[in-house]
Amino acid sequence: MTAVAVAVALVVTLSPSSAAASDTLPWEGVAAKGANQPYQHGYTSADLLRWTPESDLFGDMTRARVPLQPRVAPLKATQADPKLDPAVQQLTLAGDYGNAFFESYPYNNEFSAYLFNYWQYTDYYAAWHGMPTEGVPEELYDPKLDWRQKWFEFGMLNLPNSGYTNAAHKNGVKSLGCIFFSENDRGTQTYTEMLVQDENGDYPVARKLVELARWYGFDGYFINQEEPFVAVPDLPRYKAFLKVLRDSGLYVQFYDSVDTITGLRVYQNEFNSQNSPFVRDPELGDVSDSMFLNYWWNKAKLTLSRDHARLRGLDPRRVVFAGLEAGAFQFDQPYNLDDNLDANGVPMNGIATLGADFVHSDMADKENDAKQWQAYDRERRWWTGSSTGGADDTAYWKGISSYITERSTISGTTFDTTFNTGHGLEYVEKGAVSNPAEWSNINIQDHPVTWQWNISAPGDGTPVLGVDYDYGPRYTRAGRFSYQQVGAYEGGSSLVLTGDLAADNYLKLYRTNLSVTDKSKLGITYRKVSADDASQLRAAVTFADDPHTVVHLPIEASGARTVGWTKASLDLSMYAGRTIVTLGLVVAAGPATIEDYQLNVGRMTLTDGESHVPPTPTGFHIRAALTGTDELELGWNLDDYDTVAEYAVYDNGMYLGGIYDDVLYVKRFTGQKGTLELRAVGHDGSVSEPAIIRYDFRRAPGDVKATAAADGSVTVTWPKAAPGARVRLESAYSGTRTVREVTSTDATSATLTGVPTTGGHYLVTVSHGNATPVSYRGEFADTHVEAYPTALVTVTGNVFRFRTPWTADWYKLHVKEDGVAKMFATTYSSGAKPYIIRGRTTLAALTVIMDRLDSEVTVTIEDYAGNTTTTVVRPALAERLSEGGLRVP
């Protein structure tokens, strides 16, 4: 599991012999976090009640904007296993790129990040990634400590990575956030805070969860309620809470962990009357969409689960998900998915996996670029059961594709792929390196090849060509390959076919639903690396009206070695009116075996004869030029996804990055003068004319710096004289938005007054003449902390029940009796502390028995900045008597 420090509790609780997984660590070197790099954070219930889109520091830069794409209708004739039922659904609960806790980025400059490449076998991708709440100082994170020693707060909610959501939506997969409660992993956070109701009986946290999902562009929540119990009176309220989410159009999956009668944490390991009311309640109706079954199931339990779902009028293929601990047991599973098969060999229930990102996260030296081929082999084995000859192959594992059919969103009259998996050791355009730096950006990942790999040759025992992604000369390929590494034609990778060609090889690539017109053409860009021979490259298609017949479309003279990349165009007009349901390639052999054959395919494009070139983007501008930290934030107006597949940004012709969004963060930007270009890319690969920004930082005031003071002022300085420079400050995170503007009088500095002194972030921009404005991001001074409210303490005799503050501004609560600190137990039995520490004190420890009835009890609240305020919760007896008018001897 990626975020072990917060994720491992689920496995430890539920599995008898969990394997220890490796922790994630911050990226280092050039891949280290930029000073202002956008990242996501976690949320408590209190955070949600305060939340607005403007309140998140990076709330406008970490949104998913690709709409959920419809999938093509199933067609059994195209399935790798026609007997499988396409209605059987799959949920993947896993990490994303493999970032550490403060590094949930939409993209980064690091090749060795994990890029999920099997969207075609999943219907829901739920985020399993611990996220600290906003405001947690990063210096509290010590990567060297054991995962049980992370002394800061994780939110009960973590969002799905926005880049992963965009990739999921492109492939018709719903993206889910994760809500998680347990007695250890979230400290004092508890479900009761989430179920708070207003005066009308509504659930404000649920409404905020809906609003949050809409803003960040994801589709629902996986809810893992694993505290020891839910109070019986709260059970109907919990279901009503779920129903608010579901009735709002969100997808909700609930974990098999709560007994609907007793409220106790009990794992049924099947779908039955004890847990099914969390999906369909007899009184409330449907309160969620599905359930993730705990892992200790067997054939009998899964059969009963199917039968119970049908009895309740539910489809078990879509409602009951047989859970599998991927991260804990990997390829040596104690759970056999064959137990989920009926007499016809078809799954009775859906399938869910926890921690399938183990294929990367549990690798030794996983941050090493030279080891990434191992992750690809492991991932391919997990999803397809394919044998690669590696150490993992000793375990029996059939692969998820043995139970789940292939899915696809490739439809319409156009299609374009450059076999881009979403990362590279360089970025290439039209066969030439545009940017030599490594990168990872799942936002621009192409549709994954549907079958990885389905290659065949006639006759038993006839060897087939090897298939791989070629990432170029700097890539370390698997030892079984010896091909010449030429890299991408466009993006980060190309498809390579290599080996001894003894017979015609058929490589089935994509499941599609592409309509052919009388102007349709199929373009293939390829590079024949090996010597001239008698082979021939052919496109291979099957049509909906005859899906069992593979139609070959030859490319003339394709057996000749090429100098660089070559483009072929195949006329499809003779097939007008028909629908392509699979798209692939055939490499036809000559009369004798061709040794060491190699051909790279860099692009495949279907066009329909019409122009789909997007319009030139509008509103292109620099949001913030953070020259002091070599960062750049850009913005523009977003066109509909039907028109634009993604946007690409260039600096003096060099590729900087791409995304479907109206913002882009650029890391390591060091340009001094030049031209920024923004181009819109169509779904057929066409590219718009550029929108242009000309910049010149040589004439700018230089790198801006700013310092906030406790008196409510911010002093801004810059190195180059700029008489009359305009200085604008606006809050980037504040309860109320703050804007201040002044004109510099001394040419190298300016002071703005009347700004907040309660923390939060600001952006200051200095403009001078016609020079490009330069900006700086900083934090306001924090000189204040709100007092701890006495209303948060319930006193019964000498028993004090404390609740943690709902304000964002606190770190510790020092509870003292007559000046002596009380001790509080911490999660994971990590020892008692002389204070309540945010995120680590146990919920049970909040109940304290004082030593005496006549003692004074105080609470001192301390925030992350070190500010403190003391509240007297119970005065000493003498003071109480004096206030009552009684004389004290």
Side-chain angles (χ1 to χ4, degrees):
M1 284 162 287
T2 301
V4 168
V6 292
V8 80
L10 177 62
V11 174
V12 169
T13 302
L14 305 188
S15 67
S17 57
S18 298
S22 59
D23 206 346
T24 56
L25 299 174
W27 298 114
E28 298 179 344
V30 296
K33 183 179 180 181
N36 300 283
Q37 188 165 0
Y39 70 99
Q40 295 170 303
H41 63 85
Y43 300 79
T44 66
S45 295
D47 294 335
L48 288 171
L49 292 178
R50 291 188 301 270
W51 180 83
T52 66
E54 297 77 23
S55 66
D56 279 346
L57 174 59
F58 299 118
D60 58 346
M61 300 192 73
T62 53
R63 301 173 68 190
R65 308 303 292 273
V66 175
L68 181 67
Q69 297 301 291
R71 284 175 158 173
V72 304
L75 183 62
K76 284 188 177 293
T78 66
Q79 295 175 193
D81 186 350
K83 78 172 184 296
L84 290 180
D85 184 352
V88 178
Q89 294 193 330
Q90 200 274 339
L91 176 136
T92 297
L93 179 60
D96 45 63
Y97 288 116
N99 311 114
F101 306 118
F102 293 88
E103 299 181 339
S104 184
Y105 311 139
Y107 39 84
N108 197 30
N109 57 331
E110 174 56 53
F111 175 71
S112 67
Y114 176 55
L115 275 293
F116 182 60
N117 203 40
Y118 289 86
W119 300 107
Q120 63 271 35
Y121 296 114
T122 194
D123 298 284
Y124 310 96
Y125 198 101
W128 191 246
H129 186 312
M131 291 184 182
T133 51
E134 176 129 28
V136 172
E138 291 184 45
E139 54 266 27
L140 294 181
Y141 174 40
D142 186 346
K144 298 184 294 295
L145 292 178
D146 177 85
W147 59 267
R148 287 170 290 261
Q149 299 300 316
K150 302 295 188 289
W151 290 95
F152 50 84
E153 181 181 60
F154 288 92
M156 62 87 182
L157 165 66
N158 65 265
L159 306 183
N161 183 291
S162 59
Y164 263 64
T165 298
N166 279 334
H169 283 179
K170 184 184 296 185
N171 292 280
V173 177
K174 288 188 175 181
S175 176
L176 310 180
C178 182
I179 294 172
F180 183 24
F181 291 105
S182 80
E183 64 267 45
N184 274 314
D185 300 273
R186 298 299 181 264
T188 61
Q189 295 175 67
T190 176
Y191 77 91
T192 58
E193 298 171 333
M194 189 174 70
L195 300 188
V196 63
Q197 292 177 267
D198 62 19
E199 63 276 8
N200 299 317
D202 199 6
Y203 295 88
V205 174
R207 299 298 177 189
K208 283 294 186 178
L209 287 169
V210 174
E211 188 182 352
L212 192 82
R214 296 283 183 261
W215 174 259
Y216 283 110
F218 59 95
D219 307 287
Y221 296 95
F222 172 80
I223 299 178
N224 182 17
Q225 176 60 48
E226 285 204 274
E227 292 177 88
F229 65 90
V230 172
V232 172
D234 291 337
L235 291 170
R237 296 176 58 240
Y238 210 134
K239 294 170 191 173
F241 174 91
L242 299 177
K243 186 174 175 61
V244 171
L245 299 178
R246 187 182 185 278
D247 288 352
S248 298
L250 299 184
Y251 182 89
V252 180
Q253 185 169 105
F254 199 73
Y255 190 60
D256 166 28
S257 54
V258 182
D259 187 294
T260 193
I261 305 300
T262 66
L264 295 176
R265 182 176 60 199
V266 177
Y267 308 107
Q268 302 296 328
N269 311 303
E270 65 179 89
F271 193 62
N272 58 28
S273 60
Q274 299 300 104
N275 56 19
S276 64
F278 280 100
V279 177
R280 175 165 287 175
D281 184 77
E283 296 181 2
L284 295 174
D286 290 339
V287 299
S288 72
D289 294 276
S290 59
M291 178 163 288
F292 186 127
L293 293 187
N294 189 52
Y295 312 105
W296 303 330
W297 40 256
N298 53 35
K299 182 81 170 181
K301 287 180 175 292
L302 293 181
T303 303
L304 291 171
S305 297
R306 176 199 63 188
D307 295 344
H308 181 74
R310 289 176 174 174
L311 184 66
R312 300 301 300 272
L314 299 168
D315 185 347
R317 303 167 301 176
R318 299 174 179 274
V319 171
V320 182
F321 286 74
L324 199 69
E325 281 188 304
F329 299 107
Q330 304 186 11
F331 298 104
D332 191 16
Q333 289 287 328
Y335 320 107
N336 189 350
L337 283 175
D338 283 357
D339 287 342
N340 193 35
L341 301 179
D342 63 17
N344 297 316
V346 178
M348 299 180 287
N349 307 283
I351 297 170
T353 61
L354 168 67
D357 56 315
F358 79 87
V359 297
H360 182 272
S361 65
D362 275 11
M363 279 183 10
D365 203 15
K366 60 179 175 283
E367 294 86 6
N368 187 346
D369 290 348
K371 300 292 186 180
Q372 298 313 301
W373 66 268
Q374 296 178 8
Y376 310 150
D377 277 2
R378 285 157 59 86
E379 186 180 43
R380 189 171 299 120
R381 177 160 168 72
W382 176 258
W383 290 98
T384 71
S386 60
S387 174
T388 57
D392 292 326
D393 289 6
T394 58
Y396 172 76
W397 178 246
K398 291 172 63 175
I400 299 297
S401 64
S402 296
Y403 310 96
I404 301 294
T405 60
E406 312 86 348
R407 287 87 151 102
S408 173
T409 59
I410 302 171
S411 62
T413 59
T414 64
F415 172 61
D416 180 62
T417 181
T418 61
F419 303 98
N420 175 15
T421 62
H423 60 167
L425 290 162
E426 58 193 10
Y427 193 89
V428 179
E429 286 201 330
K430 296 182 174 59
V433 175
S434 177
N435 191 324
E438 61 184 84
W439 56 278
S440 57
N441 186 0
I442 203 168
N443 290 279
I444 61 171
Q445 181 189 65
D446 285 332
H447 291 90
V449 171
T450 307
W451 296 281
Q452 301 182 41
W453 304 106
N454 188 331
I455 187 165
S456 59
D460 294 335
T462 303
V464 296
L465 295 173
V467 188
D468 198 17
Y469 288 115
D470 181 349
Y471 292 94
R474 292 161 55 193
Y475 175 59
T476 301
R477 60 180 183 254
R480 63 183 180 277
F481 292 114
S482 59
Y483 57 83
Q484 177 185 337
Q485 296 169 229
V486 302
Y489 170 74
E490 194 84 19
S493 53
S494 64
L495 191 70
V496 59
L497 294 86
T498 180
D500 293 341
L501 182 61
D504 292 0
N505 276 232
Y506 171 39
L507 176 62
K508 189 161 72 166
L509 291 172
Y510 296 101
R511 168 71 171 100
T512 68
N513 193 55
L514 294 166
S515 301
V516 181
T517 74
D518 58 2
K519 296 180 181 179
S520 291
K521 292 184 179 181
L522 181 63
I524 299 179
T525 302
Y526 68 95
R527 181 172 177 177
K528 176 72 168 14
V529 175
S530 52
D532 295 355
D533 54 43
S535 68
Q536 185 181 62
L537 178 65
R538 305 169 183 170
V541 299
T542 63
F543 293 101
D545 55 8
D546 187 10
H548 296 289
T549 300
V550 181
V551 177
H552 293 207
L553 306 171
I555 299 175
E556 299 299 328
S558 51
R561 183 176 185 175
T562 66
V563 178
W565 295 93
T566 296
K567 296 181 181 180
S569 181
L570 301 172
D571 185 359
L572 302 182
S573 60
M574 68 184 71
Y575 305 108
R578 301 180 74 181
T579 300
I580 298 172
V581 292
T582 67
L583 178 61
L585 297 168
V586 166
V587 180
T593 297
I594 301 170
E595 296 182 350
D596 299 324
Y597 176 89
Q598 181 181 339
L599 181 136
N600 286 61
V601 184
R603 187 169 217 157
M604 294 180 71
T605 304
L606 177 70
T607 57
D608 60 5
E610 304 296 328
S611 175
H612 297 280
V613 178
T616 301
T618 60
F620 189 34
H621 64 284
I622 295 176
R623 289 164 43 108
L626 306 168
T627 59
T629 50
D630 295 337
E631 297 168 292
L632 187 67
E633 298 172 13
L634 301 170
W636 56 87
N637 299 325
L638 186 68
D639 279 327
D640 289 343
Y641 188 70
D642 290 342
T643 303
V644 177
E646 66 187 60
Y647 293 90
V649 177
Y650 302 83
D651 173 34
N652 292 324
M654 182 179 72
Y655 182 80
L656 291 183
I659 195 170
Y660 179 74
D661 202 345
D662 58 4
V663 292
L664 183 75
Y665 165 82
V666 182
K667 188 177 180 181
R668 315 296 181 203
F669 181 81
T670 57
Q672 289 297 301
K673 180 182 180 182
T675 302
L676 293 166
E677 292 185 351
L678 173 69
R679 296 178 183 268
V681 181
H683 292 278
D684 61 349
S686 59
V687 180
S688 75
E689 290 297 314
I692 293 174
I693 297 173
R694 291 182 174 85
Y695 67 90
D696 188 351
F697 293 119
R698 298 176 307 173
R699 296 188 296 140
D703 296 343
V704 173
K705 296 182 180 179
T707 304
D711 63 357
S713 65
V714 173
T715 299
V716 185
T717 61
W718 53 90
K720 298 180 183 178
R726 299 180 302 277
V727 181
R728 175 184 173 88
L729 180 146
E730 56 184 312
S731 62
Y733 166 54
S734 177
T736 57
R737 193 161 189 79
T738 300
V739 177
R740 295 285 187 273
E741 290 185 325
V742 297
T743 299
S744 171
T745 57
D746 68 1
T748 58
S749 69
T751 299
L752 302 102
T753 59
V755 302
T757 57
T758 55
H761 297 78
Y762 63 82
L763 173 70
V764 63
T765 301
V766 178
S767 306
H768 182 244
N770 295 323
T772 305
V774 179
S775 299
Y776 174 87
R777 287 194 181 275
E779 293 187 49
F780 293 119
D782 185 356
T783 64
H784 174 76
V785 61
E786 295 180 19
Y788 180 79
T790 57
L792 293 180
V793 186
T794 302
V795 181
T796 306
N798 220 25
V799 177
F800 283 62
R801 171 74 170 87
F802 295 91
R803 283 178 287 164
T804 54
W806 280 54
T807 176
D809 189 27
W810 77 281
Y811 176 34
K812 296 175 181 177
L813 298 177
H814 304 263
V815 179
K816 295 183 179 181
E817 183 179 20
D818 287 337
V820 179
K822 307 303 290 187
M823 303 296 289
F824 295 88
T826 56
T827 57
Y828 298 113
S829 302
S830 299
K833 299 286 186 181
Y835 42 73
I836 297 169
I837 181 171
R838 186 170 179 173
R840 288 306 306 267
T841 298
T842 66
L843 184 62
L846 295 182
T847 299
V848 180
I849 302 175
M850 299 301 168
D851 294 334
R852 301 195 324 276
L853 286 167
D854 61 349
S855 59
E856 179 187 66
V857 177
T858 61
V859 177
T860 299
I861 188 170
E862 175 186 353
D863 66 11
Y864 291 122
N867 300 306
T868 61
T869 299
T870 299
T871 299
V872 177
V873 175
R874 183 180 72 182
L877 180 60
E879 185 176 346
R880 280 177 273 157
L881 293 174
S882 175
E883 290 175 352
L886 300 178
R887 299 187 63 183
V888 181

